[in-house]
């Protein structure tokens, strides 16, 4: 479950007024159409880099260790950006942070193009440039995402009774980027790493230039990010059911992250196919997830949250285990798509329950902590792939699938116990057989 498919709308930490508020740059909200274009360009650039940079290293060096290292390098800075990004958006405004993040990504990708175009692909300097580019752009991507979420929330408030339409558009754009990004990234790599980076630079520059310029207006200073994280951690410790839920999400993210990080190696070493095939696999998986999340509302209405979530968890674990042992590429592709579809449904269930469990007075800070904990397994999965020999990866994924199954069984059993002890929760809603 990739962070782009599972990341929730981030709530900002409440602001504390001061006697002399600072003058901050806050966004002049763009129209819905322009906001959708901005979010689409930004999300597509992020997804292309996320999937294409590990492929670029694998095709250049053939090293599974470096492939896993790049995957981890992309994700570790995202955790730091998530911890402090909300405070930056509160202090400087979503428009300024969004424009700065995309301008920074434009500059970085443009500077990396000569290194990848003039140096041999397996040159140490070119590899170092890719690793550093992945780390820097990973942090910038999280900042631009938080900014886009803040702008979307503002547009939703202005839309009044039509707020759900704004959110539906933005969720569809994110899923569309997940669908098109891996395939586009794989195809662009056929023209070389420079071509791929040029397209990412163009998308980022367009997003930075099209966003309306920020306008100054008085705004109170933001609460320190560390204080918000401490509040969230204290809240998490007092809610055992929320802790069980976060553990289940983290286990699922670790298994899917391991499968994602090892996919380029599996495709090239096990199935002897071109690395661009990975883009096709993940695009098919994103399409399956998009369809599953669109259909799961009817399933939840009919059978309630707990049965749907538990069934999806069982399917996700079984699909992950089977994908590790798949003997052919078509079967592998089908199982990865099934895994992502099941994780999409399970994600809707767990996020719904999480929204109910977190108290409103500490929602933003607690949500930041839970997202940090559920995203942390992603770089760990990349480091594990970097350390493991290529021939051991199928067995490693299979073992993690079994651990995932045990963790999710424990998670949903714990949530079921919480349902019985607190019958007002959404999980206890009686199914509607209509």
């Amino acid at each position: 479950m990739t962070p782009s498919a599972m990341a929730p709308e981030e709530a900002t930490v409440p602001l504390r007024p001061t006697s002399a508020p600072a003058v901050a740059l806050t966004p002049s909200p763009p129209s819905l159409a322009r906001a959708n274009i901005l979010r689409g360009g930004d999300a597509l650039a992020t997804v292309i880099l996320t999937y294409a940079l590990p492929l670029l290293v694998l095709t250049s060096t053939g090293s599974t260790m470096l492939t896993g290292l790049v995957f981890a390098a992309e994700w570790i800075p995202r955790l730091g950006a998530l911890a402090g990004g909300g405070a930056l958006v509160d202090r400087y405004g979503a428009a300024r942070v969004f424009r700065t993040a995309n301008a920074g990504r434009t500059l970085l990708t443009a500077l990396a193009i000569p290194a990848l175009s003039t140096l041999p692909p397996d040159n140490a300097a070119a590899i170092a440039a890719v690793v550093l580019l992945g780390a820097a752009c990973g942090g910038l991507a999280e900042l631009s995402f938080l900014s886009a979420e803040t702008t979307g929330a503002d547009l939703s408030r202005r839309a009044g009774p039509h707020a759900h339409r704004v959110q539906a558009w933005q969720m569809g754009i994110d899923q569309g980027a997940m669908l098109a990004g891996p395939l586009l990234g794989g195809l662009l790599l056929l023209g070389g790493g420079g071509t791929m980076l040029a397209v990412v630079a163009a998308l980022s520059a367009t997003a930075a230039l099209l966003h309306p310029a920020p306008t100054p207006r008085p705004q109170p200073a933001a609460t320190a990010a560390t204080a918000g994280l401490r509040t969230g951690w204290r809240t998490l410790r007092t809610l055992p059911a929320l802790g069980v839920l976060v553990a289940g999400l983290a286990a699922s993210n670790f298994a899917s992250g391991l499968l994602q990080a090892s996919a380029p190696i599996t495709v090239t070493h096990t199935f002897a196919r071109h690395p661009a095939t990975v883009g096709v696999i993940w695009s098919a998986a994103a399409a399956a997830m998009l369809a599953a999340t669109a259909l799961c509302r009817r399933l939840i209405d009919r059978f309630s949250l707990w049965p749907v979530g538990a069934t999806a968890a069982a399917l996700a674990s079984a699909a992950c285990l089977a994908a590790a042992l798949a003997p052919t590429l078509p079967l592998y592709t089908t199982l990865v798509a099934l895994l992502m579809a099941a994780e999409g449904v399970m994600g809707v269930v767990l996020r719904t329950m999480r929204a109910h469990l977190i108290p409103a007075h500490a929602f933003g800070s607690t949500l930041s902590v839970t997202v940090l904990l559920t995203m942390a397994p992603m770089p760990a999965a990349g480091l594990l792939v970097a350390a493991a020999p290529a021939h051991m990866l199928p067995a490693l994924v299979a073992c993690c699938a079994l651990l995932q199954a045990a963790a999710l069984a424990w998670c949903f059993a714990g949530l079921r116990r919480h349902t019985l002890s607190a019958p007002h929760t959404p999980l206890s809603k009686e199914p509607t057989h209509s």
Side-chain angles (χ1 to χ4, degrees):
M1 150 185 344
T2 64
S4 306
M6 291 295 300
E9 291 82 358
E10 299 296 336
T12 56
V13 178
L15 300 179
R16 182 174 56 194
T18 61
S19 57
V23 175
L25 291 176
T26 55
S28 297
S31 66
L32 178 59
R34 178 179 285 193
N36 290 338
I37 294 173
L38 293 171
R39 190 181 185 109
D42 175 71
L44 189 58
T46 296
V47 175
I48 288 175
L49 281 180
T50 300
Y51 285 90
L53 286 182
L55 273 178
L56 178 61
V57 170
L58 182 62
T59 56
S60 301
T61 67
S63 170
T64 59
M65 181 188 70
L66 289 175
T67 302
L69 180 62
V70 171
F71 185 86
E74 288 181 303
W75 279 100
I76 291 174
R78 292 190 177 195
L79 302 180
L82 181 63
L88 288 176
V89 172
D90 288 341
R91 183 175 295 276
Y92 297 108
R96 185 174 183 180
V97 175
F98 184 89
R99 286 157 63 95
T100 302
N102 275 280
R105 182 164 55 193
T106 302
L107 178 62
L108 290 173
T109 49
L111 291 175
I113 290 174
L116 297 183
S117 301
T118 60
L119 296 175
D122 57 350
N123 180 272
I127 296 170
V130 171
V131 174
L132 292 175
L133 179 67
C137 288
L140 292 174
E142 202 64 37
L143 292 178
S144 64
F145 170 77
L146 291 172
S147 304
E149 285 292 309
T150 303
T151 300
D154 185 56
L155 288 171
S156 296
R157 288 189 292 269
R158 292 170 182 269
H162 302 298
H164 62 284
R165 299 181 183 178
V166 176
Q167 293 301 320
W169 268 105
Q170 298 207 339
M171 289 181 66
I173 289 168
D174 289 344
Q175 292 293 337
M178 287 294 297
L179 174 62
L183 179 60
L184 183 58
L187 293 176
L188 290 173
L189 283 181
L190 296 176
T195 302
M196 182 269 293
L197 293 182
V199 171
V200 171
L203 289 170
S204 302
T206 301
L209 293 174
L210 284 182
H211 201 293
T215 55
R217 93 176 167 192
Q219 178 173 311
T223 301
T226 53
L229 292 177
R230 286 196 298 269
T231 300
W233 179 248
R234 285 196 301 268
T235 305
L236 179 64
R237 291 177 59 186
T238 62
L239 297 172
L242 183 61
V244 169
L245 186 150
V246 170
L249 273 174
S252 183
N253 278 350
F254 182 72
S256 61
L258 187 64
L259 189 66
Q260 178 181 331
S262 63
I265 302 167
T266 300
V267 168
T268 56
H269 285 247
T270 303
F271 301 123
R273 300 297 182 92
H274 194 278
T277 307
V278 178
V280 178
I281 293 173
W282 288 111
S283 291
M289 175 181 278
L290 181 61
T293 52
L295 292 174
C296 72
R297 183 176 61 85
R298 292 182 179 272
L299 293 174
I300 294 172
D301 287 342
R302 183 172 180 84
F303 299 108
S304 78
L305 279 169
W306 189 89
V308 173
T311 302
L315 285 175
S317 299
C320 187
L321 177 61
L325 306 175
T328 65
L329 182 62
L331 181 58
Y332 179 82
T333 303
T334 302
L335 291 168
V336 170
L338 178 60
L339 167 66
M340 297 305 292
E343 289 200 341
V345 174
M346 184 175 62
V348 171
V349 171
L350 293 180
R351 287 171 62 177
T352 301
M353 186 61 181
R354 179 174 61 187
H356 178 84
L357 288 171
I358 300 176
H361 68 274
F363 190 89
S365 56
T366 308
L367 187 60
S368 295
V369 171
T370 64
V371 174
L372 278 171
L373 293 176
T374 55
M375 285 178 61
M378 300 300 288
L383 293 175
L384 188 57
V385 169
H391 69 276
M392 291 294 295
L393 286 178
L396 186 62
V397 173
C399 291
C400 288
L402 294 175
L403 293 175
Q404 177 194 30
L408 289 176
W410 173 72
C411 170
F412 278 93
L415 293 177
R416 182 61 172 170
R417 287 193 299 272
H418 173 73
T419 301
L420 296 176
S421 62
H424 61 280
T425 64
L427 287 178
S428 61
K429 176 183 175 181
E430 290 296 327
T432 302
H433 300 285
S434 57

